[in-house]
Amino acid sequence: MTENLPDVQRASAFFFDFDGTLVALAPRPDLVAVEPHVREVLDALAVQFDGAVAVVTGRPLDVVDGFLAPVALPIAAEHGSIRRDSRGALHIDEGNEEAVAAAHAALDPFAEDNAGLILERKRSSIALHYRQRPELAALCERAVQDVVAENPGLVILPGKMVFELKPKGIDKGEAVRAFLEEVPFQGRTPIFIGDDVTDEHAFEVVNALGGLSVKIDEGDTLAHFRTDRKGLFEWLFRVVDKG
C-alpha cells in the first residue's frame, strides 16, 4: 500500500503525530516502544532542516519527552493545548479547566465499573481508551456524549479505540499554524504525517497552505499521500541521505 512519496524541498518543516506514526500502537498507551531508528531519523532531520521538526500529539508533553529522550523537539501536546516552541517557551491554553475536571470526575466511575477501560487524565483533556474492550465502543461513546452534554465547553474527538474530550477551538491544525508563525518553521513548506482521525485537522491546514500531507495506513483521509510505517521511515531516511 506504500505510495511513492515525493522529494522534499530544502525549505520544508516536518510535523509528526506520535502514536501510530512515530511509534506503533500498543494495547496500553504506556506500552509503546520507540525504535532506535526513530530517534536517529528525527535527530538527522532536525539537523538537516535547521530545527524545523516538531511532534504534534494528543499525548502529554512530559510523556512524549520521556519516550523520545535524549532527542528534544518542539512539541504540541494534548492536541495543541500545551505547546513548547523551539526556544523552549511554553504556550498553555488555560480555558475550560473546570469542565475538564468535571468530565473526568463523571467518567471515572464508568471506567472503574468496566474492567479494561483506561481513563487518561491529562492537563487540558481526558481520554477514554477502550482498546482492550472494543465491544464497549458504543457504550463508551454514549458515556462521553452524556458528559459533553453537561460540559458544553468540551468536544469529543474520536480516535483509534479512544474518545478524547478536549476544549473547543483546540486542534492539531491550529497547533501547526502556531508553529509556522515562528522561527525556524516560518516561511517553510509544512509536511504533516499522521495516522488517525485527530490528524485530519492538520491535514486540512497543511493542504490549504500548499504543503505535503501523509496518512499512515488505512482509513478515509484528506491527506494527499498514503503509506505505512515501514514506507514512512524508508522515505525519511532517503530524505536525510539526499541532504
Side-chain angles (χ1 to χ4, degrees):
M1 65 170 294
T2 302
E3 296 181 3
N4 291 323
L5 298 178
D7 291 336
V8 172
Q9 299 176 9
R10 180 66 179 81
S12 294
F14 285 83
F15 300 95
F16 293 94
D17 171 46
F18 186 72
D19 292 281
T21 302
L22 291 178
V23 299
L25 296 173
R28 293 176 54 97
D30 57 320
L31 296 180
V32 299
V34 181
E35 301 139 310
H37 67 261
V38 174
R39 296 184 184 90
E40 180 184 351
V41 79
L42 288 176
D43 203 29
L45 286 168
V47 170
Q48 186 167 320
F49 291 87
D50 306 314
V53 179
V55 177
V56 183
T57 176
R59 292 268 201 162
L61 180 61
D62 60 340
V63 171
V64 179
D65 274 339
F67 277 121
L68 292 181
V71 176
L73 298 172
I75 295 175
E78 301 186 31
H79 305 283
S81 292
I82 301 172
R83 191 174 62 85
R84 184 178 66 215
D85 64 26
S86 64
R87 299 175 294 110
L90 289 179
H91 307 264
I92 300 173
D93 184 287
E94 302 286 358
N96 295 296
E97 190 172 323
E98 291 183 3
V100 172
H104 181 268
L107 283 173
D108 191 49
F110 172 76
E112 288 288 336
D113 290 342
N114 291 277
L117 297 183
I118 300 171
L119 186 63
E120 183 185 8
R121 177 68 160 96
K122 307 176 188 180
R123 189 186 188 285
S124 303
S125 62
I126 56 176
L128 180 63
H129 300 267
Y130 58 93
R131 184 169 297 277
Q132 298 179 79
R133 296 291 304 276
E135 75 278 9
L136 296 182
L139 189 63
C140 289
E141 184 173 16
R142 286 197 296 273
V144 297
Q145 286 174 341
D146 289 344
V147 168
V148 169
E150 296 296 321
N151 298 277
L154 303 179
V155 294
I156 300 169
L157 193 63
K160 290 183 176 178
M161 300 291 183
V162 63
F163 290 107
E164 296 213 34
L165 275 64
K166 65 177 187 65
K168 289 181 177 178
I170 301 292
D171 62 53
K172 291 185 178 183
E174 293 307 308
V176 169
R177 286 188 195 276
F179 276 127
L180 290 171
E181 293 177 357
E182 305 166 347
V183 174
F185 303 94
Q186 195 173 45
R188 290 176 175 264
T189 301
I191 299 171
F192 192 96
I193 304 152
D195 76 304
D196 207 347
V197 176
T198 61
D199 300 308
E200 294 298 320
H201 293 111
F203 291 151
E204 183 177 11
V205 167
V206 167
N207 291 347
L209 294 173
L212 173 64
S213 51
V214 182
K215 165 81 169 179
I216 304 299
D217 294 332
E218 302 292 343
D220 294 338
T221 186
L222 296 172
H224 292 149
F225 295 89
R226 189 188 300 271
T227 187
D228 53 21
R229 289 189 68 247
K230 180 175 183 293
L232 169 64
F233 285 98
E234 288 175 350
W235 174 63
L236 291 175
F237 276 107
R238 287 199 302 271
V239 169
V240 170
D241 290 342
K242 285 182 180 180

